[in-house]
Amino acid sequence: MTPTISDTENRSDDRLHGHQVLEHRSSEATTLEHVDEDHHTREATICVVGLGYVGLPLAVGFAQSDYQVIGYDVDESTVEQLKDGEDTTGDLTDEAVQNDDISYTTNASAISDAEYVVIAVPTPIQDDDRPDLSYVESAGQTVGSKMSAGTTVVLESTVYPGSTREVLIPALEETAGMTAGEDFFVGYSPERATPGDEEHGLSDVVKVVSGQTEAVLDDVAELYGSVVDAGVHRAPSIEVAEASKVVENTQRDLNIAFVNELSVALEHMNVDTQEVLEAAGTKWNFHDYQPGLVGGHCIPVDPYFLSYRSAQEGFEPELMQMGRKVNESMPAHVADLTIKALNTCHKTLRDSRVLVLGLSYKPGVGDLRSSKVSNVIDTLNEYDIHLEGFDPIANHEAARETFNLDVQEQLSFEGFDAIVLATPHDEFTEMDLEAIGSELADDPALVDVAGAIDEDEAADAGFTYRRV
């Protein structure tokens, strides 16, 4: 069981101001890096605000490096699960969240105990594709109302350039009654979490850091450098650090959009996309990107932050917007491939039964949020096709509610006319197609979105095979 946090008062009598704080932090940072034989001492307390897929691994990472960590979240259910020792992300382990150096709480007053506050709250996109920074503003107001003078606040949420200064700092100052840069300090360090990727965790990826002054940058760099083995990159300004995050994923979005559009074009030419990419990939400087659905919380979201801010300054970035349009069209294309495959197999659409394998947004994770599989399902539903789904990792009840779909508890292929392999979890790529084919209806179809199944093997098993 993890310890709880008792109610604490703001330590207003202990607050430091101005250059005193910088001198205090400078000596404190030296203490943080002090090595006593093989044991690193960590005297600072860090509060992580927001215990989701970014915040929780961050809290665990600091705790594993011997910091005292406060994990704060407004969601009582999440905090109760963490107190009970349950990993709420599925990316860590129950043992990791049971670290005695982490105190989970919904009590905002605990923020006053921290010398560093790291904000890792969601920054979604609204229905009109505008960034929603209300969570950042709300978190800033909460932190400002509780933090002590001398606190350094670091934002990790994805934002557009200028957000830290224009949204977070005013929110902090509003409720703190203090001035940033004098009474407290602010930095920005974009998260680079990759759910389901054990080789690229917090300590394995270079951390971009920034601060409102050189002294704050030094402090933030030293803090993150103590937990990130790969080291830190010091951005020359907060705005550069903010932009670097959205540029990373916008670049990927555009490259995927190219191969997605290429796959549709080559299909019209009756040329195999995978064979083309394999041939082109023999050139030393060819970049390896694969077509498919673009879901998740970063790649299909971050370009909107950049284009929104650019448009505010009078420039419409057409290429970024076109890349988004191409990738958003792919679920309809996958549905179209499925319908054509059923027609090739002489199936009547309204009498057809289709099993969708993999509902989460990427292989190896159970996160259903921002999964583009839902868009494929919505399109196929327009043709009155009977659909069922199965995901070996995602929560079945959550999948039913998210997709409004019959979700199997135990995988069964009995009587289905087609399989759509939407998210290729390892469990699916190792399937015995010969055995599965015997359970399906006659002349079955297999739509392999990511090209995870060998086409010849599928054909030998009696499938009409299609891939993006």
Side-chain angles (χ1 to χ4, degrees):
M1 295 285 290
T2 53
T4 59
I5 295 179
S6 59
D7 192 11
T8 57
E9 301 294 333
N10 263 341
R11 298 177 298 166
S12 56
D13 294 339
D14 296 331
R15 288 178 175 176
L16 302 172
H17 295 278
H19 295 292
Q20 284 181 297
V21 176
L22 292 180
E23 292 169 0
H24 166 71
R25 279 297 163 80
S26 177
S27 61
E28 181 183 76
T30 301
T31 303
L32 293 178
E33 286 297 306
H34 170 68
V35 178
D36 181 12
E37 295 180 351
D38 293 329
H39 181 68
H40 294 257
T41 59
R42 301 287 189 262
E43 295 185 357
T45 297
I46 301 167
C47 178
V48 178
V49 175
L51 299 175
Y53 286 82
V54 174
L56 185 59
L58 190 63
V60 169
F62 278 122
Q64 289 176 340
S65 295
D66 298 329
Y67 288 100
Q68 291 294 320
V69 178
I70 299 165
Y72 169 76
D73 201 289
V74 296
D75 190 305
E76 293 183 1
S77 175
T78 295
V79 171
E80 286 304 313
Q81 285 181 270
L82 292 171
K83 285 182 178 180
D84 289 339
E86 298 177 30
D87 172 19
T88 54
T89 67
D91 258 0
L92 303 168
T93 63
D94 289 348
E95 183 179 4
V97 303
Q98 292 165 11
N99 191 311
D100 288 339
D101 290 328
I102 308 178
S103 298
Y104 301 105
T105 185
T106 57
N107 183 359
S109 295
I111 293 170
S112 65
D113 288 336
E115 287 82 18
Y116 296 91
V117 178
V118 181
I119 297 176
V121 295
T123 48
I125 294 296
Q126 301 178 43
D127 291 341
D128 60 0
D129 297 333
R130 290 186 303 160
D132 179 2
L133 299 188
S134 61
Y135 294 96
V136 171
E137 184 176 20
S138 178
Q141 292 170 340
T142 298
V143 171
S145 70
K146 302 298 181 182
M147 69 180 180
S148 301
T151 299
T152 295
V153 181
V154 182
L155 179 62
E156 286 222 5
S157 303
T158 299
V159 294
Y160 53 77
S163 300
T164 302
R165 296 187 198 274
E166 297 168 10
V167 178
L168 177 62
I169 288 179
L172 291 165
E173 291 180 332
E174 175 188 351
T175 54
M178 296 187 284
T179 301
E182 296 179 8
D183 306 312
F184 67 93
F185 310 97
V186 176
Y188 180 80
S189 180
E191 58 88 6
R192 282 177 163 175
T194 307
D197 187 346
E198 296 180 359
E199 296 181 1
H200 296 94
L202 174 65
S203 66
D204 307 312
V205 180
V206 174
K207 200 81 165 71
V208 175
V209 296
S210 65
Q212 62 185 141
T213 66
E214 194 66 30
V216 176
L217 173 58
D218 289 343
D219 190 23
V220 173
E222 193 158 13
L223 174 69
Y224 280 104
S226 67
V227 297
V228 179
D229 294 339
V232 299
H233 173 82
R234 297 175 181 233
S237 70
I238 288 176
E239 288 74 18
V240 167
E242 291 169 325
S244 72
K245 166 62 180 177
V246 289
V247 165
E248 291 171 17
N249 288 315
T250 300
Q251 179 192 60
R252 294 177 66 194
D253 193 47
L254 285 170
N255 279 291
I256 298 170
F258 167 69
V259 293
N260 272 337
E261 189 169 58
L262 176 69
S263 69
V264 178
L266 291 175
E267 181 188 337
H268 281 78
M269 302 176 205
N270 198 28
V271 177
D272 189 284
T273 302
Q274 293 299 323
E275 292 177 353
V276 170
L277 293 176
E278 182 179 351
T282 59
K283 189 179 181 186
W284 60 271
N285 61 352
F286 187 81
H287 291 185
D288 182 20
Y289 285 89
Q290 296 295 315
L293 301 175
V294 184
H297 319 292
C298 293
I299 298 178
V301 173
D302 292 3
Y304 292 118
F305 283 84
L306 204 54
S307 59
Y308 171 79
R309 182 59 171 175
S310 178
Q312 281 188 319
E313 300 301 324
F315 176 73
E316 291 284 349
E318 295 180 6
L319 184 59
M320 295 181 211
Q321 295 170 354
M322 183 56 66
R324 282 280 70 236
K325 182 178 179 180
V326 169
N327 286 338
E328 287 296 306
S329 72
M330 291 309 291
H333 179 62
V334 171
D336 186 55
L337 285 178
T338 305
I339 291 166
K340 288 179 178 178
L342 288 168
N343 284 333
T344 300
C345 297
H346 305 292
K347 306 289 185 178
T348 302
L349 294 183
R350 65 178 57 196
D351 295 328
S352 296
R353 302 179 70 241
V354 175
L355 178 61
V356 181
L357 296 182
L359 303 173
S360 63
Y361 80 91
K362 68 178 290 188
V365 303
D367 192 355
L368 298 168
R369 301 172 303 165
S370 301
S371 172
K372 296 302 179 182
V373 180
S374 64
N375 301 78
V376 177
I377 291 169
D378 288 343
T379 303
L380 291 176
N381 273 327
E382 296 176 6
Y383 294 87
D384 294 329
I385 297 171
H386 175 80
L387 297 169
E388 292 184 24
F390 176 77
D391 194 298
I393 302 176
N395 180 277
H396 293 157
E397 188 56 41
R400 292 186 187 98
E401 294 178 2
T402 301
F403 298 107
N404 191 26
L405 179 73
D406 290 334
V407 177
Q408 296 181 358
E409 293 287 342
Q410 298 292 329
L411 181 57
S412 172
F413 298 96
E414 188 68 35
F416 283 96
D417 297 287
I419 296 171
V420 176
L421 179 52
T423 307
H425 298 302
D426 288 343
E427 292 86 344
F428 299 143
T429 59
E430 300 168 358
M431 294 185 301
D432 184 341
L433 296 182
E434 290 282 355
I436 293 170
S438 65
E439 298 182 45
L440 296 167
D442 293 337
D443 300 320
L446 172 58
V447 179
D448 181 10
V449 175
I453 302 295
D454 181 82
E455 181 175 1
D456 292 336
E457 182 182 346
D460 290 343
F463 287 92
T464 293
Y465 180 87
R466 296 288 184 273
R467 66 185 176 199
V468 175

